[in-house]
Amino acid sequence: RPHRTELYQDVPSTCWPIVYSPDYNITFMGLEKLHPFDAGKWGKVIDFLKEENLIVDDLIVQACEATEEDLMVVHTRRYLNKLKWSFVVATITEIPPVFFLPNFLVQRKVLKPLRTQTGGTIMAGKLAVDRGWAINVGGGFHHCSSDKGGGFCAYADITLAIKFLFERVQGVSKATIIDLDAHQGNGHERDFMDDNRVYIMDAYNRYIYPGDGFAKRAIKRKVELEWGTEDTEYLQKVQTHVEGALNELKPDIIVYNAGTDILDGDPLGGLAISPQGIVKRDEIVFKAARSRRVPILMVTSGGYQKRTARIIADSIINLHNLGLIDKELATSGAENPKVEQMLRKCTKDLTNLSLQ
């Protein structure tokens, strides 16, 4: 029987299925500046969305921190105990000075934000099924598996969100992961290696971290990209392979890992996608999900430039302007006639758009 969790709480229908907490942001004596990751980008995304009057604080779903019991749905006790050693966390987060900090500070200043983002992804999974879509403004720790972290990823939030749904939500028995971060998602690939309920599509720069040949065996649809891939080729491949993946298997949930480290100039991604290309990529994925009536959960994953927060916000605004994320669609199930009518109209509009 599943354990009792605070993460599957009832969310007021007035809230958008956008999950966030100020606790996502990592700030500690400037140490966060020693890593190329912008450790405050999640708060900046929310600030941009507020400036555009898309949301206000009362309409955001407040993320809760995942407890040890929540984490043990996937993680081994042995792995969680390893995180009590500062040098292990320093290795995973790639911030060497963390090695010298007492672990109680590491837990509070580094791991608690990551546990809160992990809780946010699990919460957003349930919201996506209930509302048709959900966005966790953080999460996407796709290099972490049940017993190993790495690449700034200490908790396997994607695996956890899917396993929570399989255990707790009736009618969710198949999932598709669409991983469009610049790096291979070896964590969830290792976790779902022999699980036929999970279909993984992964598009990544073939030459960069992690180069995990064993994990690649779990990818059902592998899109290996060359250095400096640009918009036209990239978007064509995303369109073809997202459609292909969803035609091969109609899942009960899509988990979309929407990393912005594909952006031109990213110090780690090695690709050359424009801000407009990223906005268009997210639009392609949400259109494919909406046209098939499949709930979609988006997490923001990697992105190592100061301008990525603005791009994520612009993409969310674009999805809203196109009616691909909509509060009316998100506040009831399909049994509501008004929602059903709107969904039919949205699907018809999308069909007409694709025919033009």
Side-chain angles (χ1 to χ4, degrees):
R1 207 169 120 227
H3 73 281
R4 195 169 180 281
T5 182
E6 296 297 312
L7 300 178
Y8 270 21
Q9 56 188 256
D10 286 331
V11 171
S13 62
T14 50
C15 286
W16 284 72
I18 294 176
V19 184
Y20 170 72
S21 165
D23 290 343
Y24 282 14
N25 302 292
I26 299 171
T27 52
F28 183 53
M29 291 167 38
L31 282 178
E32 69 280 359
K33 292 175 183 158
L34 298 174
H35 192 280
F37 200 99
D38 177 4
K41 82 170 181 182
W42 308 287
K44 291 173 191 168
V45 172
I46 292 294
D47 289 342
F48 288 133
L49 293 177
K50 286 179 184 172
E51 281 173 21
E52 300 290 337
N53 298 316
L54 185 70
I55 51 170
V56 294
D57 283 332
D58 290 348
L59 299 183
I60 298 167
V61 178
Q62 287 295 314
C64 300
E65 181 183 354
T67 65
E68 187 164 280
E69 209 174 358
D70 294 327
L71 296 169
M72 284 185 67
V73 168
V74 166
H75 289 295
T76 61
R77 171 81 66 189
R78 182 169 169 270
Y79 173 69
L80 295 178
N81 284 340
K82 275 188 187 174
L83 297 178
K84 293 172 182 170
W85 295 89
S86 295
F87 77 88
V88 172
V89 181
T91 305
I92 290 169
T93 58
E94 299 167 6
I95 307 173
V98 167
F99 178 94
F100 301 103
L101 297 176
N103 191 258
F104 78 90
L105 279 178
V106 174
Q107 292 291 332
R108 193 161 71 221
K109 294 293 188 176
V110 180
L111 291 178
K112 183 179 178 182
L114 301 182
R115 284 194 296 269
T116 308
Q117 292 191 42
T118 296
T121 301
I122 296 167
M123 293 168 75
K126 173 75 159 49
L127 273 169
V129 173
D130 290 345
R131 310 280 188 92
W133 65 275
I135 296 169
N136 181 17
V137 172
F141 304 132
H142 65 157
H143 299 307
C144 187
S145 61
S146 63
D147 60 357
K148 190 170 189 229
F152 199 70
C153 304
Y155 303 107
D157 67 318
I158 291 172
T159 308
L160 278 158
I162 291 170
K163 292 213 167 176
F164 262 71
L165 288 169
F166 285 171
E167 279 186 4
R168 293 168 185 268
V169 179
Q170 197 171 4
V172 180
S173 60
K174 299 190 300 291
T176 291
I177 299 169
I178 296 174
D179 194 334
L180 301 185
D181 185 273
H183 300 80
Q184 177 201 350
N186 61 320
H188 57 73
E189 287 158 12
R190 283 175 171 264
D191 286 335
F192 292 119
M193 179 66 67
D194 300 311
D195 194 333
N196 290 327
R197 298 173 299 173
V198 180
Y199 182 107
I200 298 173
M201 173 194 158
D202 198 350
Y204 54 88
N205 182 338
R206 66 166 78 214
Y207 301 109
I208 60 173
Y209 177 91
D212 189 335
F214 175 76
K216 285 180 187 179
R217 290 160 45 187
I219 305 172
K220 299 283 199 302
R221 190 170 280 261
K222 183 166 57 181
V223 186
E224 295 196 317
L225 303 167
E226 300 294 324
W227 287 110
T229 298
E230 295 180 354
D231 287 21
T232 304
E233 180 190 347
Y234 179 77
L235 293 172
Q236 184 266 318
K237 284 184 171 173
V238 167
Q239 178 90 54
T240 300
H241 289 288
V242 166
E243 292 288 338
L246 295 175
N247 287 341
E248 269 183 51
L249 173 90
K250 186 180 176 187
D252 303 308
I253 181 78
I254 295 165
V255 180
Y256 172 37
N257 199 44
T260 42
D261 52 1
I262 63 170
L263 181 63
D264 187 21
D266 188 278
L268 302 180
L271 303 175
I273 309 306
S274 70
Q276 298 77 17
I278 292 174
V279 170
K280 184 66 183 174
R281 174 200 68 174
D282 295 350
E283 183 185 315
I284 287 168
V285 177
F286 271 78
K287 276 183 177 173
R290 177 63 72 201
S291 67
R292 290 167 174 79
R293 307 285 305 281
V294 179
I296 181 166
L297 155 62
M298 171 175 151
V299 289
T300 57
S301 202
Y304 305 93
Q305 297 183 72
K306 296 295 182 192
R307 56 192 180 134
T308 58
R310 175 79 253 182
I311 296 165
I312 294 166
D314 286 345
S315 179
I316 292 170
I317 291 159
N318 180 61
L319 294 172
H320 175 252
N321 290 343
L322 292 172
L324 294 166
I325 60 171
D326 186 289
K327 187 157 184 300
E328 289 298 317
L329 292 174
T331 50
S332 290
E335 66 278 359
N336 180 319
K338 184 182 172 195
V339 173
E340 183 68 32
Q341 186 181 354
M342 288 181 71
L343 282 168
R344 275 202 303 271
K345 180 180 182 300
C346 188
T347 304
K348 185 179 172 188
D349 290 348
L350 290 173
T351 304
N352 291 340
L353 271 173
S354 64
L355 291 172
Q356 284 172 14

